[in-house]
Amino acid sequence: MPQNKRESLIYTVLMCFVMVFWMSMYNVTLHMGSPSLDVLREGWLGFPIAYIYAMCFDWFWYLNWQKALPSAFW
């Protein structure tokens, strides 16, 4: 797990990339019926918007909520 801000940023970027990319491919495959090159193209076209949303959501909302949660309950 990340020990400082730099490691946290690198970890977040990599995890968001992998998770958003594979989930995009999975969802497009479900909608199109079977894996193909068209699935890769369609998934890749929608990837940047989903990635930016996931990064902003994770970095600005989730990290702040995660820091506040222990102090609220402990």
Side-chain angles (χ1 to χ4, degrees):
M1 293 306 297
Q3 300 297 321
N4 55 39
K5 283 280 193 186
R6 180 175 168 253
E7 290 176 3
S8 179
L9 179 62
I10 293 169
Y11 181 78
T12 302
V13 167
L14 290 175
M15 287 303 294
C16 275
F17 179 86
V18 171
M19 290 173 58
V20 169
F21 180 74
W22 285 112
M23 288 307 295
S24 295
M25 294 304 135
Y26 176 73
N27 287 330
V28 173
T29 302
L30 286 179
H31 287 284
M32 295 185 91
S34 66
S36 66
L37 290 176
D38 290 333
V39 168
L40 279 173
R41 186 185 66 220
E42 294 296 323
W44 190 252
L45 289 175
F47 173 75
I49 294 169
Y51 182 72
I52 290 169
Y53 177 80
M55 279 295 298
C56 290
F57 186 76
D58 186 53
W59 196 253
F60 295 116
W61 184 78
Y62 180 72
L63 288 178
N64 292 333
W65 177 74
Q66 181 185 10
K67 290 176 187 173
L69 187 63
S71 63
F73 292 105
W74 307 112

